[in-house]
Amino acid sequence: MGEFDLIARYFTRPVHRAALGVGDDCALLTPAPGMQLAISSDMLVEGRHFFADVDPGRLGHKALAVNLSDLAACGARPLAFTLALALPRVDEAWLEAFSRGLLALADAHGCELVGGDTTQGPLNICITVFGEVPAGHALLRSGAQPGDDIYVSGTLGDARLALEALQGHIALPPEALTTARLRLEQPKPRVALGQALRGVASSALDVSDGLLGDLGHILRASGTGACIDTSITMNLIATSAYSINARCQLDTEMLHQCTLAGGDDYELAFTAPVVRRAAVAAAAQASGTPVTRIGRVEAEPGLRLVDAQGQPVALRYASFDHFAGG
Amino acid sequence: MGEFDLIARYFTRPVHRAALGVGDDCALLTPAPGMQLAISSDMLVEGRHFFADVDPGRLGHKALAVNLSDLAACGARPLAFTLALALPRVDEAWLEAFSRGLLALADAHGCELVGGDTTQGPLNICITVFGEVPAGHALLRSGAQPGDDIYVSGTLGDARLALEALQGHIALPPEALTTARLRLEQPKPRVALGQALRGVASSALDVSDGLLGDLGHILRASGTGACIDTSITMNLIATSAYSINARCQLDTEMLHQCTLAGGDDYELAFTAPVVRRAAVAAAAQASGTPVTRIGRVEAEPGLRLVDAQGQPVALRYASFDHFAGG
């Protein structure tokens, strides 16, 4: 099968919102009047972001999900995306499953595939996603103010727990591994919550590299510090809800490691003034997304971790860094 | 050096046109009223699109040039781009040269780097480029009409000639190889010509996979056929101008192969009504880009190759296909 057959068979679909679709030199997009286009690119590499034997349908889902998560963090509504794909060979079963997983998530969010590129090479998936947001209303990293509450959506640490188990570092009961693995391989981008937080949150980003490292971006951009209650964050791991046994096998340090510096969570971390607590709760309810208050923005720079009694905790976890370590 | 240092050091620049730059979850772009956004993605892979030992400055130039060429083919004015980069390791000298080549071409076209991603992995460069075009005035592949002239900009075949020489299939004198190699490694996107052809050309695309194969896309999209004068196209190779010796060493078949199915030309192929010949000439002059009339659109489907006397030529060259052959 040639490149053009491949594009036609697996990735060409009727396009509704864009003026043009796959197949011309460019796709054409027309944002509605008063709207800005929010744009984000993510590249996924075998061995770095997924295992070689990952289910291709889940990989298709995840490749788009991590990009939609960036739109969510800006409060943007998904419109369209391009897909650039390097494949070692044309494997029709793999492509069929990959495109099905990818396009199912795209359909769920009304996000249309409008262009891209395919080539031969080591497996690499690069998606660029486009969303729209009312001009001047995008959620930024730079708006946190001392005194603001700090929140995180959903759960934390399960993806890292799955990674540790799949790499043989820890043992998980089968049921717990299934749950955790789903979080690693099929993250749910918090698109509805992001849009509901426009005008409510003072800053936001998506947690992709680990809570503390990503929160650090907000704090630096905002010129503030923060205090985080680790007795709350350590309980945000979802896997324990499915199997008490799983929780019992994990020591406290592993729970902190996974929840504070796990990576691959794709939840939203955001700040909001104390007076907007009811509005945050309403945004969470309207979007069907649980959110948890985990700390407070402070004027003093740096991240301080405390226990339930407000006493300092000595923990220090480095954020996941794609070029850190070996 | 961590991922974030790397982005900051080599790829963060002041952003003028976009509302935001590198460093938040998304970049924000606001097309001017009445404008559509033209979008294209290209992925470059080592061993497939460039040699491992290619000059990194030239590679940076080419990675953006092939994307700007897609904008040119739509008649769009470049605005901005995102860069996703997988690197086997952090090599500061390589990154410094790569970013310098990339950003020099970006600056020459007023095209701003607004976001992206870096990760560890086999070398892979994925750029998504954004341009603007007046709504409804993009050049498409589908507008060719029987009787229209067919044109190509600049020169053809030199990039393929360089490839053949670098792979040891042919010998070229050093001066000729230098010239041809520059065409392979530093293509000039025909951005000004593309914009000048809005309202003049009836269809257009950029020649990236070989003239005949790419013309086929116009013919299929337009429901037409074409007749091409190979006595004209075989003389569009530039290398011969720099060294008569180079030309003498190449047989006619190689000249046809390079000019008709060479690939990596990044010229514009386009059609225009016969009555617009003066307008085509004016567009060529205004943009400082030579164009050559090479044939005619015909109602009968298929591509017919003829010699200077209009007699059929038996040549049949397959277009370059990223998944064809071994």
Side-chain angles (χ1 to χ4, degrees):
Chain A
M1 181 167 15
E3 177 185 6
F4 303 109
D5 295 335
L6 190 159
I7 292 171
R9 183 166 319 175
Y10 295 108
F11 299 110
T12 305
R13 315 180 82 203
V15 170
H16 303 290
R17 194 179 299 110
L20 270 187
V22 181
D24 217 292
D25 292 275
C26 293
L28 297 177
L29 274 186
T30 313
M35 290 292 189
Q36 286 182 305
L37 214 59
I39 300 168
S40 184
S41 274
D42 274 296
M43 180 175 266
L44 271 64
V45 175
E46 183 177 302
R48 192 82 203 168
H49 301 96
F50 55 90
F51 294 110
D53 64 349
V54 68
D55 176 271
R58 290 189 178 185
L59 182 59
H61 172 105
K62 182 167 180 174
L64 181 59
V66 302
N67 280 282
L68 292 175
S69 183
D70 285 316
L71 289 187
C74 286
R77 186 171 72 94
L79 288 177
F81 68 106
T82 59
L83 167 69
L85 192 57
L87 297 169
R89 74 202 70 82
V90 175
D91 174 341
E92 298 203 31
W94 190 95
L95 272 166
E96 203 280 330
F98 176 84
S99 66
R100 196 164 46 190
L102 176 80
L103 296 174
L105 184 66
D107 288 346
H109 290 280
C111 191
E112 301 187 43
L113 178 57
V114 293
D117 193 17
T118 57
T119 187
Q120 195 172 39
L123 184 55
N124 184 307
I125 305 156
C126 181
I127 286 180
T128 304
V129 74
F130 314 98
E132 64 178 12
V133 62
H137 288 78
L139 299 174
L140 304 182
R141 297 177 174 182
S142 52
Q145 297 288 332
D148 283 359
D149 293 320
I150 301 174
Y151 298 86
V152 68
S153 66
T155 61
L156 290 176
D158 301 282
R160 175 62 175 268
L161 200 65
L163 195 63
E164 297 285 341
L166 292 170
Q167 291 177 327
H169 301 158
I170 59 168
L172 284 181
E175 188 193 2
L177 178 58
T178 299
T179 301
R181 190 169 183 166
L182 206 60
R183 292 299 313 265
L184 175 67
E185 297 177 351
Q186 287 209 294
K188 286 195 180 72
R190 300 303 193 179
V191 171
L193 176 64
Q195 292 174 76
L197 287 173
R198 288 198 312 245
V200 175
S202 52
S203 72
L205 51 51
D206 77 316
V207 180
S208 55
D209 296 331
L211 177 66
L212 298 190
D214 285 327
L215 261 184
H217 298 309
I218 285 185
L219 302 182
R220 275 188 297 279
S222 302
T224 60
C227 179
I228 301 294
D229 186 340
T230 59
S231 73
I232 299 176
T233 54
M234 76 176 288
N235 285 303
L236 287 177
I237 196 158
T239 308
S240 60
Y242 293 83
S243 167
I244 289 294
N245 289 338
R247 180 66 172 278
C248 290
Q249 290 177 349
L250 303 171
D251 61 20
T252 304
E253 193 183 346
M254 175 63 80
L255 285 178
H256 284 309
Q257 173 76 31
C258 287
T259 53
L260 296 177
D264 266 335
D265 294 304
Y266 301 105
E267 296 290 354
L268 297 187
F270 59 98
T271 62
V274 173
V275 296
R276 306 308 304 272
R277 283 186 185 174
V280 169
Q285 184 153 26
S287 61
T289 313
V291 306
T292 305
R293 186 153 46 88
I294 59 170
R296 195 175 58 243
V297 180
E298 298 177 336
E300 187 190 343
L303 246 173
R304 284 159 292 282
L305 305 180
V306 298
D307 62 19
Q309 284 72 46
Q311 295 302 305
V313 173
L315 306 166
R316 278 287 158 189
Y317 297 106
S319 167
F320 182 75
D321 185 316
H322 292 294
F323 280 101
Chain B
M1 183 165 17
E3 177 186 4
F4 304 109
D5 295 334
L6 191 159
I7 293 172
R9 184 168 316 175
Y10 295 109
F11 299 111
T12 304
R13 315 181 82 203
V15 169
H16 302 291
R17 195 179 298 109
L20 268 189
V22 181
D24 217 293
D25 293 274
C26 293
L28 297 176
L29 275 185
T30 312
M35 290 290 189
Q36 286 183 305
L37 213 60
I39 300 168
S40 183
S41 275
D42 274 295
M43 180 175 265
L44 272 65
V45 175
E46 182 177 303
R48 192 81 203 170
H49 301 96
F50 56 89
F51 294 109
D53 63 349
V54 68
D55 176 270
R58 290 190 178 184
L59 181 60
H61 172 105
K62 183 167 180 174
L64 182 59
V66 303
N67 279 282
L68 291 176
S69 184
D70 285 315
L71 289 187
C74 286
R77 185 171 73 93
L79 287 178
F81 69 106
T82 59
L83 167 69
L85 191 58
L87 297 169
R89 73 202 72 80
V90 175
D91 174 341
E92 298 203 30
W94 191 95
L95 272 166
E96 203 280 330
F98 176 84
S99 67
R100 197 164 45 192
L102 176 80
L103 296 175
L105 184 67
D107 287 345
H109 290 280
C111 190
E112 302 187 42
L113 177 57
V114 293
D117 193 15
T118 58
T119 187
Q120 195 172 40
L123 185 55
N124 185 306
I125 306 156
C126 182
I127 285 179
T128 304
V129 74
F130 314 99
E132 63 177 13
V133 62
H137 288 78
L139 299 174
L140 304 182
R141 298 177 173 182
S142 53
Q145 296 288 332
D148 283 358
D149 293 320
I150 301 174
Y151 298 86
V152 68
S153 66
T155 61
L156 290 175
D158 301 281
R160 175 61 175 268
L161 200 66
L163 196 62
E164 296 284 343
L166 292 171
Q167 291 177 326
H169 301 158
I170 58 169
L172 284 181
E175 189 193 2
L177 178 57
T178 299
T179 301
R181 190 169 184 167
L182 206 59
R183 291 300 312 265
L184 175 67
E185 297 177 351
Q186 286 208 295
K188 285 195 180 71
R190 301 302 193 178
V191 171
L193 176 64
Q195 292 173 76
L197 288 173
R198 288 198 312 246
V200 175
S202 53
S203 72
L205 51 51
D206 76 317
V207 180
S208 55
D209 296 330
L211 177 66
L212 298 189
D214 285 327
L215 262 183
H217 298 309
I218 284 185
L219 303 183
R220 276 188 296 279
S222 302
T224 60
C227 178
I228 301 294
D229 186 339
T230 59
S231 73
I232 299 175
T233 53
M234 77 176 289
N235 285 304
L236 287 178
I237 197 159
T239 309
S240 59
Y242 293 83
S243 168
I244 289 295
N245 289 337
R247 179 67 173 278
C248 290
Q249 290 178 350
L250 303 171
D251 61 18
T252 304
E253 192 182 347
M254 175 62 80
L255 285 178
H256 284 309
Q257 174 76 30
C258 288
T259 53
L260 295 177
D264 266 336
D265 294 304
Y266 301 104
E267 296 291 354
L268 296 187
F270 59 98
T271 62
V274 173
V275 297
R276 305 309 304 273
R277 283 185 186 175
V280 169
Q285 184 152 25
S287 61
T289 313
V291 306
T292 305
R293 186 153 46 87
I294 60 170
R296 196 175 55 244
V297 180
E298 298 178 336
E300 188 190 342
L303 246 173
R304 286 160 291 282
L305 305 179
V306 298
D307 62 19
Q309 285 72 46
Q311 295 303 307
V313 174
L315 306 166
R316 277 288 158 191
Y317 297 106
S319 167
F320 183 73
D321 186 315
H322 292 293
F323 279 102

